[in-house]
Amino acid sequence: MKVLVIGSGGREHAICWKIAQSARVDKLFCAPGNGGISKVAEPVDIKAEDMSGLVRFAKSNGIGLTIVGPEAPLVNGLVDVFQKEGLRVFGPGKRASMLEGSKVFAKEAMKRWGVPTAAFEVFDDYKKAREYVEKKSLPLVVKADGLAAGKGVIICYTRDEALKALEDMMVNKKFGKSGERIVIEECLEGEEASIIVISDGRHVVPLATSQDHKRALDDDKGANTGGMGAYSPAPVVTPEEERRIMDEIVVPVIRGMAKEGMPYKGVLYVGIMVTAEGPKVLEFNVRFGDPETQAIFPRLKSDLMELIERSIDGKLKGYAPLWDTRSCVCVVMASGGYPGKYEKGKEIEGLDEAEGVGDTVVFHAGTRSTAEGGGEKIITDGGRVLGVTGLGEDIESAIKNTYKAVSKIRFENMHFRRDIGKRALAHSGIIT
Ligand code: AMP
Ligand code: GLY
């Protein structure tokens, strides 16, 4: 079968890397791809936003399955458009994608279904939101309703911060239409984990657990980013906690969506806060996590194509993928300045040496291959540049292996966290 993957990040490289190993795949394309993806998939010069271009490509090249990486095309209805054209595609349709596309939709749905999440209020009137914030206890969390490229959630420790968040979103329209409605919610305390599941609309299969590192600097300091590293499994999610997450959160959501006429087919990412009262939902995403996927797929022994096709065909009942029992760590190497302003075009050295370390794979995110100045080379082309990923018998050796690979790579002004996996170590009683 010919397969098309849409997207250009580290997540899409991990998807392509895993899909390319499947015996079901004869030819793999990625639109638009990046400097690393082109080693496993043929790049197609069409952007993820160009829906009609993608449909045209899929039709004229006999694509048997399309896999969508990022959320924006899903929320914009790419799956519905492909299906209408008779094209086979993996992911939730436009209505089901509201779980990520509208925080108000997700919060109200959770309330209807009795799914544990932070207490919240919804506002579309700036004056009323202000009045509420004036008398509410702190900290609190202000969220833009719609997609905001991961920047629409502000944790406010002071009243001034909260008032500024309201003004930015509702008056200055920092996120355009996405911020016209907002959610103000209680700030939850605990440890975060990512639960990623695949559903066929009625049945659900959990993937391995994982944890992201959202802040730019060590010890969870600095600005929020798209994610600076991940590991899998996440020991904070004990087998008992995982059962609660499935029973109290995932199953009620899949059941609720089906009952309300929007059966959920595809990947569902549930951001969880493990609180003293049990697991609560922070957010839903309708796609694989980035960089969680980079830490999960090297542990997946089963064929990802089988999982995806079973989801599309409604055949997930009783299916359990096989997992490598080893731990996996992904360290994101970023451009100097990220998540703020950064420069592109820096040559990256040491990629082969990093993969030569053994049980390692370097997933590319913001990279591009170029022949400028003679000779093929890989240069930086984004904020998050690489996801250096390594396996190990336990979390400690996975961390060692991964950082050994990281030490082989160089580009001007690179930065990365040196404490990825530290929280998992603490769970094993290892203090660094
Ligand atoms: P979201 O875009 O909804 O994923 O939120 C991004 C990040 O904000 C989450 O991963 C958490 O770190 C944090 N966050 C969101 N909601 C809350 C909350 N109610 N309490 C504490 N932290 C939160
Ligand atoms: N790692 C967070 C996300 O994918 O949204």
Side-chain angles (χ1 to χ4, degrees):
M1 188 196 300
K2 289 186 187 170
V3 176
L4 169 66
V5 172
I6 297 173
S8 60
R11 166 184 52 211
E12 286 75 20
H13 190 183
I15 295 171
C16 287
W17 173 83
K18 186 66 194 159
I19 292 285
Q21 296 167 17
S22 172
R24 299 183 185 204
V25 177
D26 305 312
K27 176 117 189 126
L28 180 59
F29 297 92
C30 186
N34 64 36
I37 292 175
S38 46
K39 280 205 283 186
V40 287
E42 187 172 317
V44 178
D45 191 16
I46 303 176
K47 295 227 162 58
E49 300 78 45
D50 180 2
M51 222 183 283
S52 49
L54 291 166
V55 168
R56 235 177 292 126
F57 178 84
K59 281 190 143 176
S60 55
N61 287 276
I63 298 296
L65 171 68
T66 299
I67 301 167
V68 189
E71 64 276 13
L74 294 167
V75 171
N76 290 333
L78 182 140
V79 166
D80 312 63
V81 170
F82 266 57
Q83 282 172 344
K84 219 173 275 159
E85 297 286 340
L87 292 162
R88 194 164 157 87
V89 57
F90 176 60
K94 188 173 178 146
R95 285 183 70 210
S97 296
M98 296 249 288
L99 277 179
E100 178 167 0
S102 166
K103 302 227 190 260
V104 174
F105 171 86
K107 295 293 290 191
E108 289 177 343
M110 283 190 273
K111 201 163 156 185
R112 283 197 300 282
W113 304 329
V115 169
T117 186
F120 71 101
E121 293 286 338
V122 176
F123 295 93
D124 56 13
D125 182 300
Y126 172 62
K127 228 179 109 222
K128 290 204 175 114
R130 260 193 87 101
E131 281 164 18
Y132 181 79
V133 160
E134 299 279 9
K135 50 182 201 286
K136 198 74 194 151
S137 62
L138 296 159
L140 49 79
V141 185
V142 177
K143 298 184 170 186
D145 177 38
L147 294 186
K151 297 186 175 71
V153 172
I154 318 284
I155 311 222
C156 309
Y157 296 96
T158 67
R159 214 156 305 277
D160 281 351
E161 280 171 344
L163 293 171
K164 179 164 186 314
L166 294 185
E167 196 178 326
D168 280 350
M169 288 183 197
M170 302 182 91
V171 180
N172 301 332
K173 308 255 187 262
K174 190 169 171 187
F175 304 114
K177 277 190 101 53
S178 286
E180 283 178 359
R181 254 196 325 179
I182 59 154
V183 172
I184 302 181
E185 68 180 34
E186 155 204 23
C187 189
L188 298 176
E189 267 180 56
E191 190 173 334
E192 283 184 50
S194 307
I195 300 295
I196 301 175
V197 304
I198 312 258
S199 174
D200 66 3
R202 293 177 50 210
H203 316 103
V204 63
V205 171
L207 302 187
T209 60
S210 58
Q211 194 176 79
D212 187 9
H213 297 65
K214 290 212 157 77
R215 301 297 195 99
L217 306 175
D218 285 6
D219 295 321
D220 295 326
K221 302 229 164 69
N224 256 322
T225 70
M228 293 300 287
Y231 58 81
S232 172
V236 65
V237 186
T238 58
E240 199 218 314
E241 203 73 39
E242 189 170 7
R243 204 162 313 120
R244 283 190 71 176
I245 292 169
M246 293 304 288
D247 292 349
E248 296 171 23
I249 294 170
V250 174
V251 170
V253 169
I254 299 300
R255 197 171 281 151
M257 292 295 281
K259 227 170 88 192
E260 295 186 17
M262 1 176 201
Y264 194 92
K265 273 185 177 220
V267 183
L268 181 65
Y269 167 127
V270 190
I272 296 280
M273 186 73 91
V274 181
T275 73
E277 295 145 35
K280 295 190 181 182
V281 176
L282 290 171
E283 59 160 338
F284 292 116
N285 294 317
V286 295
R287 36 119 187 124
F288 289 111
D290 189 341
E292 289 93 328
T293 303
Q294 292 88 310
I296 290 174
F297 283 172
R299 299 188 56 226
L300 177 61
K301 290 212 258 182
S302 303
D303 184 349
L304 178 59
M305 281 294 286
E306 172 162 20
L307 199 50
I308 288 176
E309 295 213 85
R310 279 176 181 269
S311 158
I312 296 172
D313 298 333
K315 291 194 174 140
L316 279 179
K317 189 175 178 186
Y319 180 73
L322 298 175
W323 295 96
D324 192 327
T325 53
R326 289 179 295 171
S327 295
C328 190
V329 170
C330 169
V331 174
V332 169
M333 302 186 75
S335 295
Y338 174 82
K341 262 181 72 156
Y342 56 83
E343 286 177 17
K344 296 181 183 177
K346 312 287 184 196
E347 182 172 356
I348 306 171
E349 291 176 290
L351 289 165
D352 290 340
E353 288 95 313
E355 292 200 310
V357 166
D359 284 333
T360 51
V361 39
V362 179
F363 293 119
H364 290 224
T367 75
R368 188 160 67 81
S369 109
T370 174
E372 277 161 39
E376 194 76 9
K377 58 187 179 191
I378 300 282
I379 58 173
T380 66
D381 196 37
R384 291 191 291 172
V385 176
L386 301 168
V388 180
T389 306
L391 288 156
E393 284 309 319
D394 51 22
I395 186 75
E396 196 179 11
S397 57
I399 291 170
K400 266 200 199 122
N401 199 33
T402 306
Y403 277 104
K404 191 167 168 199
V406 166
S407 74
K408 310 284 180 195
I409 293 175
R410 291 168 304 282
F411 55 89
E412 199 182 304
N413 292 334
M414 65 186 192
H415 77 94
F416 57 90
R417 279 181 61 160
R418 286 159 210 276
D419 66 344
I420 302 301
K422 193 169 151 187
R423 238 187 268 117
L425 280 182
H427 279 280
S428 331
I430 300 166
I431 312 295
T432 53

